[in-house]
Amino acid sequence: MGMIGGGSDAFIGAVHRIAALMDGQIELVCGAFSSKPEKSRTTGEELFLPPDKVYGSYQEMIEKESRLQEGERMDFVSIVTPNHLHFDPAKLALEHGFHVVLDKPMTFDLSEARRLKKLVDETGLVFCLTHTYTGYPMVKEARYLATSGKIGQIRKVYVEYPQGWLSTSLEKTGNKQADWRTYPKRSGMGGALGDIGTHAANLAEYVTGSKITKLCADINAVVAGRVLDDDASMLLKFENGASGVLFATQVAAGEENCIKIRVYGEKGGIEWKQDDANSLVIRWMDQPVEIRRAGGNVGYLSSFALHNTRTPSGHPEGYLEAFANLYRNFTLTVRAKMNGKEPKAEWLDFPGVEDGVRGMLFIEKAVESGKSDQKWVDVGD
Amino acid sequence: MGMIGGGSDAFIGAVHRIAALMDGQIELVCGAFSSKPEKSRTTGEELFLPPDKVYGSYQEMIEKESRLQEGERMDFVSIVTPNHLHFDPAKLALEHGFHVVLDKPMTFDLSEARRLKKLVDETGLVFCLTHTYTGYPMVKEARYLATSGKIGQIRKVYVEYPQGWLSTSLEKTGNKQADWRTYPKRSGMGGALGDIGTHAANLAEYVTGSKITKLCADINAVVAGRVLDDDASMLLKFENGASGVLFATQVAAGEENCIKIRVYGEKGGIEWKQDDANSLVIRWMDQPVEIRRAGGNVGYLSSFALHNTRTPSGHPEGYLEAFANLYRNFTLTVRAKMNGKEPKAEWLDFPGVEDGVRGMLFIEKAVESGKSDQKWVDVGD
Amino acid sequence: MGMIGGGSDAFIGAVHRIAALMDGQIELVCGAFSSKPEKSRTTGEELFLPPDKVYGSYQEMIEKESRLQEGERMDFVSIVTPNHLHFDPAKLALEHGFHVVLDKPMTFDLSEARRLKKLVDETGLVFCLTHTYTGYPMVKEARYLATSGKIGQIRKVYVEYPQGWLSTSLEKTGNKQADWRTYPKRSGMGGALGDIGTHAANLAEYVTGSKITKLCADINAVVAGRVLDDDASMLLKFENGASGVLFATQVAAGEENCIKIRVYGEKGGIEWKQDDANSLVIRWMDQPVEIRRAGGNVGYLSSFALHNTRTPSGHPEGYLEAFANLYRNFTLTVRAKMNGKEPKAEWLDFPGVEDGVRGMLFIEKAVESGKSDQKWVDVGD
Amino acid sequence: MGMIGGGSDAFIGAVHRIAALMDGQIELVCGAFSSKPEKSRTTGEELFLPPDKVYGSYQEMIEKESRLQEGERMDFVSIVTPNHLHFDPAKLALEHGFHVVLDKPMTFDLSEARRLKKLVDETGLVFCLTHTYTGYPMVKEARYLATSGKIGQIRKVYVEYPQGWLSTSLEKTGNKQADWRTYPKRSGMGGALGDIGTHAANLAEYVTGSKITKLCADINAVVAGRVLDDDASMLLKFENGASGVLFATQVAAGEENCIKIRVYGEKGGIEWKQDDANSLVIRWMDQPVEIRRAGGNVGYLSSFALHNTRTPSGHPEGYLEAFANLYRNFTLTVRAKMNGKEPKAEWLDFPGVEDGVRGMLFIEKAVESGKSDQKWVDVGD
């Protein structure tokens, strides 16, 4: 793996590295960690990389690595830069034959997203978009239950992502995370919409196996002086006839990061939330509540849930393991392709370029709806 | 107390009686429990009423009781009939000088609600609308925190009321509760909207001390063949500048009755839900989460919370005690008025006729919005 | 019902009255509320009793009432005095033909308990000891599961009752509740042992349907200057071969009143705690966790659980309703006996004089064990 | 790092590798993964080790590696074999100058433990015993609160470790994990006592900063035919005057792995349990309950808690991260020593050889107490 972005003070870069390394199947072999060469260099040192494997720019890295032989060169790139710096390195990597892991939201705007999808489709390379929450085993179990008819035809979907960290003008205090996320030239059209709204929308579409077809949004910049939205609520309609509600806010003061989804079918409902990530609550009509629990030894779980656990039940796995599951499944798929083998369904179960297009569409349509007097906006494909 | 409605197979009539009797301050002295005389009679027997205090109709009860002397006659009526039978008995009782406890939603439609408000205002009699959830001590604590500025200016309000009991066509199976609630001639314009949506809207306005000014609703009759809505979701705007989301559904299969509210201000957020009714969760920026607990011995609670508990902390009080708090405060107010005394602020803290008008307005505007292509509908006063 | 004790500042007297009145099946007709006539009189007034039904002493009440005719006189007495004043009024009531409700622990010492049992057995009168926690519907469901073999042969029992209110020398501040509970002449041999330890032991024996045969106890008076124990922990052996742990403490600073029991059999385990009183958690080998929920509409519950609920699931019932269930079942049994009918099994399911003897035996043996160097003490019968 | 044991079907070996690799600070450079050379070889292949770095025995590995130069050879060994194979490789590693990570319980018996301690003391090498649970940030916060006087002098300690996986004769089904743990020649004197009881005892001593001085134990082999204990309960006395209860059982059918501790001081109590590992509940006298939350951005946490988190609050970290914290702190200490620097207090905060001696003492004394008729057994040093 070669990494683009992720200098030593970046939150998500460190997370990507932990996730990639945890299972002992991926090695960090090179990096272009920052547009500032000095910072890239010191980050490389901290990561025990030899100096010649720390590049001054992603262009240099992709070009030089592509001239090396398989086994010597990196097998894929992981891109963890701010949104406006997603498309170019991804494009260059794909053009040079490298598989790509890319942080979400996929691109700066929808147009870039569609171009990237075209490129992925044409090259046939493996592409992973890190919608972390779909990596949790109990989210996979939720999807299994919702899409296999176990809870009957789906009627209602409620998904929420409350955060509070942008309740004040944090971006004016020098906080780097807050800075780029609230700055349109780096973040794109969406603030909270892009940062966490896309996670919520992706989770809803993943768990239900159904697309959002219409939305009606109330989009706000709550904190004075903020240009991009920090708060979004919307009514949803789904392809399968279900309706629902999504909210994503970064001004719910005191809230941490507890993304949560509830899906109700004719026969029962399922609930998952990150704060109790190893449980899946299933409520049935006229039967006791059922709680399924993550764990490699749990006989009643689906193969998708089991494949994404490392420990027996009662040994809580969390955010980093969910993230690592994306890397693991991506890697298993890459390796299968490199070995000319057919990847298993469980390996292919990671978010890809189509999810990225959906995310950018979601942002654009939500922003459009927020400005409209009409109730419903069609989301399209 | 004299009761109108509440024959032996009615859910809410029994609840009202338990709530009224629990504190030993109210005596059931007469009743017109059913339009069927035989049923009224047997109900009266089961309740140990003398035969001459069980009336064949509410008209008879109100007229005969009004001719008795104070001390012999009932002091107030409690009306627990289906929605279409709220206005007439309430009007007659007020006209005969009786204070009134009335089940929600207040009337069949908004026009009746406004007429009733006029009558209450003119007579100066005490009127209580049983929005049960505002009777919980920790809901009162939530209101105290939200309206006293403790969490800063309010920005976001999320309120939800998920039920699952109407996930099937229960009304076709002879279930009496389901029958009238899904039947427009008895329930009015709203199904879930009237039955539980009004509770959610009332809870939001009570806790925040602010009125809903605009709404944008998605209203559905999810179960095939149902005429009235069984599902509602809406975006909200509040008088104080806050925005929010409300949903109330009776097709969330497997859900019981866990009404829940979250309110976020600039400094922190509060969360209350019925399934953990004796706790109030308060989240702060940069401080530990705080959980306030109900209990008569809890020194840090507001006088409003303390006044509405009967036991020390750790002795859970529930739905029936919350309901009893409405009766208790209503009764304390009635008694103060009868004795020419000024009721305390804590006693006056029960839902009244203005809440009832708000509720009917909420139903009408939500139904209107559900049919509209425009995004926002003004709620008005 | 006539009440002995329960003057207006007594915690448990008010609880008994709410519990008795809630269901509209019991009327408070007379009382001897305090050994101080003035206090008895004012309590009677607050409770709307006619002056001639407020007696100066329990002796007077029992004698005068016994001379009245059935229908005019009280049907039973409820005794809510401190422990040292349990036996005499109970004895007198039984001797005059009155059924008795008595607060726990049953008597001042084991000898009194055995004499009282003899008297109840001889008179054939109905006797209820208010071990409140066995009145919860989900405790009854737990007993049903544990005694019907659903979780297999029972192996382990863990029961705990942590409180914190005696963490300081509250008894020296004039707190009446603390005062008599820490004073040997009023409380008996046990402090925490009598006040809450007996509840825990009773809960364990009730749920498992098996008696404690041996115990090994560590008994402490943690707060300096306290004579009676405020803290007890013990290892247990049961008749059915199970073993377990019980602890009851009043110096777990910050704890409220969350009595909790866990019982494990060969196939699974059950857990109930008062803070989530309407749920019963059942864990199985190799199956999802199951949560049964209280509610009159819950089809899968045992008849014993269903009989002891008043509302549909999701309308939380609490401590006062559990207490009311004792009164309700006692009353149903009394009424059946008065009408010459056979009480149903569900009605007879309330704690009686045998539970009281067990409780006093528990206190004596725990105190004995606390002083002994030997590991196990036999509990006996 | 070189690994001894941990062939591909071993649970704890894989956990050690994930924990060691996660932070990108440790490289697996060699291994002797099994006493069966073929299995060692295939494990090495799966881990991408060059064939010449996969050794046929730990003796061979230690000897050959010790002849290599620093930078080429492993810096430390990680020993993850069954208990009877702990002492010899640890001894050999220390004698050849390697730092050691060793799985718990430390040795086969107390005598080995004392000899190992002597060797560690003499060599001055760094030694880590993997009592995982002390690696959780909120356990460190608990220790900080308990040992800094924040909750006042400690009075009560309740620690429990319920598991259900040995509720049946799993060891007779070919389950390798069950097999050696229930077999005295591999496990030592203790079954559940060694496997999980030592964790519970270590957690209690770590959080309170006080040693267990006396215990009174009930030790059982519940499942028929089992030689070693599968269930233990005991009363405890601590050095600081506190008393408490410990139970550890592997026959609580349905339970997973939820180790939990509660510690009460004069002013308040703290509670931590693995199933909600990122929260620490603190209950105070007369103040709201407080919940501290793990997270690198949480300003109010102690430096010990902060040092042991990787992500902001709301991104749950779990068992593997707790385990990784042991490796991280061990490594930071090793590196500091190699560089001649003084390790920080936060780095030195991992379980060591003294914890291992305490654990073996705990097992021996608990077994002794289980067989004794006397109540208390002194634990000693």
Side-chain angles (χ1 to χ4, degrees), chain A residues 156 160 217-218 231 237 255 262 264 369 373 375, chain B residues 156 160 217-218 231 237 255 262 264 369 373 375:
Chain A
K156 297 300 301 179
E160 60 182 61
D218 178 27
D231 173 76
K237 297 285 186 189
E255 289 287 349
R262 289 172 282 181
Y264 298 94
S369 174
D373 288 338
K375 193 190 267 178
Chain B
K156 297 300 301 180
E160 60 181 60
D218 179 27
D231 173 76
K237 297 286 185 189
E255 290 289 348
R262 287 172 283 181
Y264 298 94
S369 174
D373 288 337
K375 194 191 266 179

PDB file of all heavy atoms in Angstrom, chain A residues 156 160 217-218 231 237 255 262 264 369 373 375, chain B residues 156 160 217-218 231 237 255 262 264 369 373 375:
ATOM      1  N   LYS A 156     -40.525   1.425   6.608  1.00  0.00           N
ATOM      2  CA  LYS A 156     -40.004   2.664   7.201  1.00  0.00           C
ATOM      3  C   LYS A 156     -38.500   2.548   7.443  1.00  0.00           C
ATOM      4  O   LYS A 156     -38.017   1.501   7.875  1.00  0.00           O
ATOM      5  CB  LYS A 156     -40.682   2.946   8.553  1.00  0.00           C
ATOM      6  CG  LYS A 156     -42.172   3.189   8.496  1.00  0.00           C
ATOM      7  CD  LYS A 156     -42.590   4.366   7.634  1.00  0.00           C
ATOM      8  CE  LYS A 156     -42.012   5.688   8.063  1.00  0.00           C
ATOM      9  NZ  LYS A 156     -42.467   6.782   7.136  1.00  0.00           N
ATOM     10  N   GLU A 160     -29.985   8.365  11.342  1.00  0.00           N
ATOM     11  CA  GLU A 160     -29.581   9.631  11.949  1.00  0.00           C
ATOM     12  C   GLU A 160     -28.097   9.618  12.247  1.00  0.00           C
ATOM     13  O   GLU A 160     -27.503   8.564  12.502  1.00  0.00           O
ATOM     14  CB  GLU A 160     -30.363   9.872  13.249  1.00  0.00           C
ATOM     15  CG  GLU A 160     -30.148   8.808  14.295  1.00  0.00           C
ATOM     16  CD  GLU A 160     -30.964   9.055  15.556  1.00  0.00           C
ATOM     17  OE1 GLU A 160     -32.201   9.090  15.453  1.00  0.00           O
ATOM     18  OE2 GLU A 160     -30.358   9.206  16.630  1.00  0.00           O
ATOM     19  N   ALA A 217     -35.676  18.278   1.822  1.00  0.00           N
ATOM     20  CA  ALA A 217     -34.659  18.576   2.839  1.00  0.00           C
ATOM     21  C   ALA A 217     -34.779  19.966   3.441  1.00  0.00           C
ATOM     22  O   ALA A 217     -35.152  20.929   2.773  1.00  0.00           O
ATOM     23  CB  ALA A 217     -33.270  18.418   2.226  1.00  0.00           C
ATOM     24  N   ASP A 218     -34.446  20.018   4.712  1.00  0.00           N
ATOM     25  CA  ASP A 218     -34.258  21.285   5.420  1.00  0.00           C
ATOM     26  C   ASP A 218     -32.771  21.371   5.755  1.00  0.00           C
ATOM     27  O   ASP A 218     -32.272  20.588   6.572  1.00  0.00           O
ATOM     28  CB  ASP A 218     -35.116  21.277   6.692  1.00  0.00           C
ATOM     29  CG  ASP A 218     -34.947  22.549   7.509  1.00  0.00           C
ATOM     30  OD1 ASP A 218     -34.627  23.597   6.930  1.00  0.00           O
ATOM     31  OD2 ASP A 218     -35.146  22.482   8.745  1.00  0.00           O
ATOM     32  N   ASP A 231     -26.011  21.256   9.287  1.00  0.00           N
ATOM     33  CA  ASP A 231     -27.216  20.609   9.805  1.00  0.00           C
ATOM     34  C   ASP A 231     -28.162  20.294   8.655  1.00  0.00           C
ATOM     35  O   ASP A 231     -28.443  21.159   7.827  1.00  0.00           O
ATOM     36  CB  ASP A 231     -27.902  21.574  10.779  1.00  0.00           C
ATOM     37  CG  ASP A 231     -29.241  21.066  11.245  1.00  0.00           C
ATOM     38  OD1 ASP A 231     -29.242  20.163  12.086  1.00  0.00           O
ATOM     39  OD2 ASP A 231     -30.274  21.547  10.742  1.00  0.00           O
ATOM     40  N   LYS A 237     -37.996   9.052   0.238  1.00  0.00           N
ATOM     41  CA  LYS A 237     -38.765   7.974  -0.400  1.00  0.00           C
ATOM     42  C   LYS A 237     -37.770   7.010  -1.017  1.00  0.00           C
ATOM     43  O   LYS A 237     -36.746   7.438  -1.578  1.00  0.00           O
ATOM     44  CB  LYS A 237     -39.679   8.521  -1.501  1.00  0.00           C
ATOM     45  CG  LYS A 237     -40.752   9.492  -1.020  1.00  0.00           C
ATOM     46  CD  LYS A 237     -41.886   8.790  -0.305  1.00  0.00           C
ATOM     47  CE  LYS A 237     -43.012   9.765   0.042  1.00  0.00           C
ATOM     48  NZ  LYS A 237     -44.022   9.125   0.929  1.00  0.00           N
ATOM     49  N   GLU A 255     -23.279  15.667  21.509  1.00  0.00           N
ATOM     50  CA  GLU A 255     -23.307  14.370  20.837  1.00  0.00           C
ATOM     51  C   GLU A 255     -21.920  14.048  20.282  1.00  0.00           C
ATOM     52  O   GLU A 255     -21.188  14.943  19.850  1.00  0.00           O
ATOM     53  CB  GLU A 255     -24.334  14.353  19.705  1.00  0.00           C
ATOM     54  CG  GLU A 255     -25.763  14.370  20.189  1.00  0.00           C
ATOM     55  CD  GLU A 255     -26.218  13.047  20.799  1.00  0.00           C
ATOM     56  OE1 GLU A 255     -25.511  12.036  20.667  1.00  0.00           O
ATOM     57  OE2 GLU A 255     -27.289  13.047  21.436  1.00  0.00           O
ATOM     58  N   ARG A 262     -32.696   2.524  11.901  1.00  0.00           N
ATOM     59  CA  ARG A 262     -33.821   1.642  12.199  1.00  0.00           C
ATOM     60  C   ARG A 262     -34.584   1.366  10.917  1.00  0.00           C
ATOM     61  O   ARG A 262     -34.877   2.292  10.166  1.00  0.00           O
ATOM     62  CB  ARG A 262     -34.768   2.302  13.218  1.00  0.00           C
ATOM     63  CG  ARG A 262     -34.191   2.375  14.612  1.00  0.00           C
ATOM     64  CD  ARG A 262     -35.062   3.199  15.540  1.00  0.00           C
ATOM     65  NE  ARG A 262     -34.880   4.620  15.314  1.00  0.00           N
ATOM     66  CZ  ARG A 262     -35.511   5.583  16.012  1.00  0.00           C
ATOM     67  NH1 ARG A 262     -36.371   5.255  16.954  1.00  0.00           N
ATOM     68  NH2 ARG A 262     -35.291   6.856  15.764  1.00  0.00           N
ATOM     69  N   TYR A 264     -37.969  -0.836   9.466  1.00  0.00           N
ATOM     70  CA  TYR A 264     -39.153  -1.621   9.845  1.00  0.00           C
ATOM     71  C   TYR A 264     -39.799  -2.233   8.623  1.00  0.00           C
ATOM     72  O   TYR A 264     -40.057  -1.539   7.632  1.00  0.00           O
ATOM     73  CB  TYR A 264     -40.176  -0.731  10.557  1.00  0.00           C
ATOM     74  CG  TYR A 264     -39.638  -0.158  11.841  1.00  0.00           C
ATOM     75  CD1 TYR A 264     -39.057   1.102  11.863  1.00  0.00           C
ATOM     76  CD2 TYR A 264     -39.666  -0.908  13.015  1.00  0.00           C
ATOM     77  CE1 TYR A 264     -38.520   1.614  13.039  1.00  0.00           C
ATOM     78  CE2 TYR A 264     -39.139  -0.400  14.188  1.00  0.00           C
ATOM     79  CZ  TYR A 264     -38.563   0.859  14.196  1.00  0.00           C
ATOM     80  OH  TYR A 264     -38.035   1.343  15.348  1.00  0.00           O
ATOM     81  N   SER A 369     -32.710  20.625  -2.837  1.00  0.00           N
ATOM     82  CA  SER A 369     -33.983  20.603  -2.109  1.00  0.00           C
ATOM     83  C   SER A 369     -34.011  21.657  -1.009  1.00  0.00           C
ATOM     84  O   SER A 369     -35.033  22.305  -0.783  1.00  0.00           O
ATOM     85  CB  SER A 369     -34.215  19.217  -1.503  1.00  0.00           C
ATOM     86  OG  SER A 369     -35.367  19.218  -0.685  1.00  0.00           O
ATOM     87  N   ASP A 373     -38.709  25.574  -2.872  1.00  0.00           N
ATOM     88  CA  ASP A 373     -39.997  25.677  -2.195  1.00  0.00           C
ATOM     89  C   ASP A 373     -40.857  24.450  -2.449  1.00  0.00           C
ATOM     90  O   ASP A 373     -41.897  24.276  -1.822  1.00  0.00           O
ATOM     91  CB  ASP A 373     -40.771  26.903  -2.703  1.00  0.00           C
ATOM     92  CG  ASP A 373     -40.150  28.185  -2.201  1.00  0.00           C
ATOM     93  OD1 ASP A 373     -39.433  28.128  -1.180  1.00  0.00           O
ATOM     94  OD2 ASP A 373     -40.373  29.220  -2.840  1.00  0.00           O
ATOM     95  N   LYS A 375     -41.816  20.501  -2.469  1.00  0.00           N
ATOM     96  CA  LYS A 375     -41.585  19.506  -1.436  1.00  0.00           C
ATOM     97  C   LYS A 375     -40.560  18.453  -1.869  1.00  0.00           C
ATOM     98  O   LYS A 375     -39.534  18.299  -1.230  1.00  0.00           O
ATOM     99  CB  LYS A 375     -42.892  18.831  -1.053  1.00  0.00           C
ATOM    100  CG  LYS A 375     -42.766  18.031   0.226  1.00  0.00           C
ATOM    101  CD  LYS A 375     -43.954  17.168   0.488  1.00  0.00           C
ATOM    102  CE  LYS A 375     -44.966  17.862   1.371  1.00  0.00           C
ATOM    103  NZ  LYS A 375     -46.150  17.042   1.578  1.00  0.00           N
TER     104      LYS A 375
ATOM    105  N   LYS B 156     -32.005  22.646  17.914  1.00  0.00           N
ATOM    106  CA  LYS B 156     -32.567  21.459  17.262  1.00  0.00           C
ATOM    107  C   LYS B 156     -33.503  20.721  18.204  1.00  0.00           C
ATOM    108  O   LYS B 156     -33.232  20.599  19.405  1.00  0.00           O
ATOM    109  CB  LYS B 156     -31.445  20.487  16.860  1.00  0.00           C
ATOM    110  CG  LYS B 156     -30.455  21.022  15.839  1.00  0.00           C
ATOM    111  CD  LYS B 156     -31.062  21.420  14.506  1.00  0.00           C
ATOM    112  CE  LYS B 156     -31.770  20.308  13.785  1.00  0.00           C
ATOM    113  NZ  LYS B 156     -32.340  20.797  12.490  1.00  0.00           N
ATOM    114  N   GLU B 160     -40.017  11.833  18.569  1.00  0.00           N
ATOM    115  CA  GLU B 160     -40.483  10.667  17.830  1.00  0.00           C
ATOM    116  C   GLU B 160     -41.424   9.841  18.687  1.00  0.00           C
ATOM    117  O   GLU B 160     -41.318   9.829  19.928  1.00  0.00           O
ATOM    118  CB  GLU B 160     -39.296   9.803  17.403  1.00  0.00           C
ATOM    119  CG  GLU B 160     -38.469   9.272  18.548  1.00  0.00           C
ATOM    120  CD  GLU B 160     -37.278   8.443  18.089  1.00  0.00           C
ATOM    121  OE1 GLU B 160     -36.430   8.986  17.358  1.00  0.00           O
ATOM    122  OE2 GLU B 160     -37.214   7.256  18.445  1.00  0.00           O
ATOM    123  N   ALA B 217     -44.785  17.938   5.870  1.00  0.00           N
ATOM    124  CA  ALA B 217     -45.108  16.583   6.319  1.00  0.00           C
ATOM    125  C   ALA B 217     -45.231  15.568   5.196  1.00  0.00           C
ATOM    126  O   ALA B 217     -45.706  15.880   4.099  1.00  0.00           O
ATOM    127  CB  ALA B 217     -46.410  16.614   7.112  1.00  0.00           C
ATOM    128  N   ASP B 218     -44.815  14.363   5.529  1.00  0.00           N
ATOM    129  CA  ASP B 218     -45.068  13.190   4.693  1.00  0.00           C
ATOM    130  C   ASP B 218     -46.026  12.290   5.476  1.00  0.00           C
ATOM    131  O   ASP B 218     -45.651  11.742   6.511  1.00  0.00           O
ATOM    132  CB  ASP B 218     -43.738  12.470   4.424  1.00  0.00           C
ATOM    133  CG  ASP B 218     -43.920  11.221   3.580  1.00  0.00           C
ATOM    134  OD1 ASP B 218     -44.889  11.151   2.801  1.00  0.00           O
ATOM    135  OD2 ASP B 218     -43.090  10.296   3.718  1.00  0.00           O
ATOM    136  N   ASP B 231     -49.104   6.790   9.747  1.00  0.00           N
ATOM    137  CA  ASP B 231     -47.679   7.091   9.706  1.00  0.00           C
ATOM    138  C   ASP B 231     -47.474   8.541   9.281  1.00  0.00           C
ATOM    139  O   ASP B 231     -48.051   8.984   8.287  1.00  0.00           O
ATOM    140  CB  ASP B 231     -47.018   6.166   8.669  1.00  0.00           C
ATOM    141  CG  ASP B 231     -45.566   6.500   8.432  1.00  0.00           C
ATOM    142  OD1 ASP B 231     -44.751   6.153   9.294  1.00  0.00           O
ATOM    143  OD2 ASP B 231     -45.248   7.139   7.414  1.00  0.00           O
ATOM    144  N   LYS B 237     -40.301  23.872  12.024  1.00  0.00           N
ATOM    145  CA  LYS B 237     -39.654  25.129  12.404  1.00  0.00           C
ATOM    146  C   LYS B 237     -40.355  25.635  13.662  1.00  0.00           C
ATOM    147  O   LYS B 237     -41.590  25.524  13.774  1.00  0.00           O
ATOM    148  CB  LYS B 237     -39.797  26.178  11.292  1.00  0.00           C
ATOM    149  CG  LYS B 237     -39.121  25.809   9.985  1.00  0.00           C
ATOM    150  CD  LYS B 237     -37.607  25.944  10.053  1.00  0.00           C
ATOM    151  CE  LYS B 237     -36.953  25.685   8.694  1.00  0.00           C
ATOM    152  NZ  LYS B 237     -35.489  25.614   8.792  1.00  0.00           N
ATOM    153  N   GLU B 255     -42.360  -2.154  17.634  1.00  0.00           N
ATOM    154  CA  GLU B 255     -42.202  -1.077  18.602  1.00  0.00           C
ATOM    155  C   GLU B 255     -43.416  -1.030  19.531  1.00  0.00           C
ATOM    156  O   GLU B 255     -44.541  -1.312  19.113  1.00  0.00           O
ATOM    157  CB  GLU B 255     -42.049   0.277  17.899  1.00  0.00           C
ATOM    158  CG  GLU B 255     -40.726   0.443  17.176  1.00  0.00           C
ATOM    159  CD  GLU B 255     -39.530   0.613  18.114  1.00  0.00           C
ATOM    160  OE1 GLU B 255     -39.716   0.836  19.326  1.00  0.00           O
ATOM    161  OE2 GLU B 255     -38.390   0.520  17.614  1.00  0.00           O
ATOM    162  N   ARG B 262     -35.407  14.772  22.021  1.00  0.00           N
ATOM    163  CA  ARG B 262     -34.057  15.316  22.186  1.00  0.00           C
ATOM    164  C   ARG B 262     -34.087  16.792  21.811  1.00  0.00           C
ATOM    165  O   ARG B 262     -34.646  17.141  20.770  1.00  0.00           O
ATOM    166  CB  ARG B 262     -33.071  14.574  21.269  1.00  0.00           C
ATOM    167  CG  ARG B 262     -32.762  13.173  21.744  1.00  0.00           C
ATOM    168  CD  ARG B 262     -31.934  12.405  20.724  1.00  0.00           C
ATOM    169  NE  ARG B 262     -32.762  11.954  19.606  1.00  0.00           N
ATOM    170  CZ  ARG B 262     -32.308  11.233  18.575  1.00  0.00           C
ATOM    171  NH1 ARG B 262     -31.034  10.895  18.519  1.00  0.00           N
ATOM    172  NH2 ARG B 262     -33.127  10.855  17.604  1.00  0.00           N
ATOM    173  N   TYR B 264     -31.478  20.200  21.593  1.00  0.00           N
ATOM    174  CA  TYR B 264     -30.092  20.660  21.658  1.00  0.00           C
ATOM    175  C   TYR B 264     -30.024  22.173  21.645  1.00  0.00           C
ATOM    176  O   TYR B 264     -30.634  22.809  20.786  1.00  0.00           O
ATOM    177  CB  TYR B 264     -29.287  20.109  20.474  1.00  0.00           C
ATOM    178  CG  TYR B 264     -29.223  18.611  20.484  1.00  0.00           C
ATOM    179  CD1 TYR B 264     -30.147  17.854  19.761  1.00  0.00           C
ATOM    180  CD2 TYR B 264     -28.282  17.947  21.252  1.00  0.00           C
ATOM    181  CE1 TYR B 264     -30.114  16.467  19.792  1.00  0.00           C
ATOM    182  CE2 TYR B 264     -28.241  16.564  21.291  1.00  0.00           C
ATOM    183  CZ  TYR B 264     -29.167  15.826  20.562  1.00  0.00           C
ATOM    184  OH  TYR B 264     -29.133  14.458  20.608  1.00  0.00           O
ATOM    185  N   SER B 369     -50.429  19.690   4.834  1.00  0.00           N
ATOM    186  CA  SER B 369     -49.079  19.600   4.279  1.00  0.00           C
ATOM    187  C   SER B 369     -48.873  18.278   3.544  1.00  0.00           C
ATOM    188  O   SER B 369     -48.249  18.221   2.494  1.00  0.00           O
ATOM    189  CB  SER B 369     -48.040  19.750   5.391  1.00  0.00           C
ATOM    190  OG  SER B 369     -46.745  19.525   4.882  1.00  0.00           O
ATOM    191  N   ASP B 373     -47.914  20.085  -2.486  1.00  0.00           N
ATOM    192  CA  ASP B 373     -46.626  19.992  -3.169  1.00  0.00           C
ATOM    193  C   ASP B 373     -45.644  21.037  -2.656  1.00  0.00           C
ATOM    194  O   ASP B 373     -44.460  21.000  -2.983  1.00  0.00           O
ATOM    195  CB  ASP B 373     -46.805  20.225  -4.679  1.00  0.00           C
ATOM    196  CG  ASP B 373     -47.488  19.060  -5.340  1.00  0.00           C
ATOM    197  OD1 ASP B 373     -47.428  17.943  -4.761  1.00  0.00           O
ATOM    198  OD2 ASP B 373     -48.084  19.249  -6.408  1.00  0.00           O
ATOM    199  N   LYS B 375     -43.398  23.015   0.065  1.00  0.00           N
ATOM    200  CA  LYS B 375     -42.627  22.468   1.176  1.00  0.00           C
ATOM    201  C   LYS B 375     -43.207  22.848   2.531  1.00  0.00           C
ATOM    202  O   LYS B 375     -43.581  21.975   3.306  1.00  0.00           O
ATOM    203  CB  LYS B 375     -41.175  22.937   1.088  1.00  0.00           C
ATOM    204  CG  LYS B 375     -40.274  22.132   2.009  1.00  0.00           C
ATOM    205  CD  LYS B 375     -38.914  22.738   2.136  1.00  0.00           C
ATOM    206  CE  LYS B 375     -37.944  22.123   1.146  1.00  0.00           C
ATOM    207  NZ  LYS B 375     -36.627  22.734   1.252  1.00  0.00           N
TER     208      LYS B 375
END
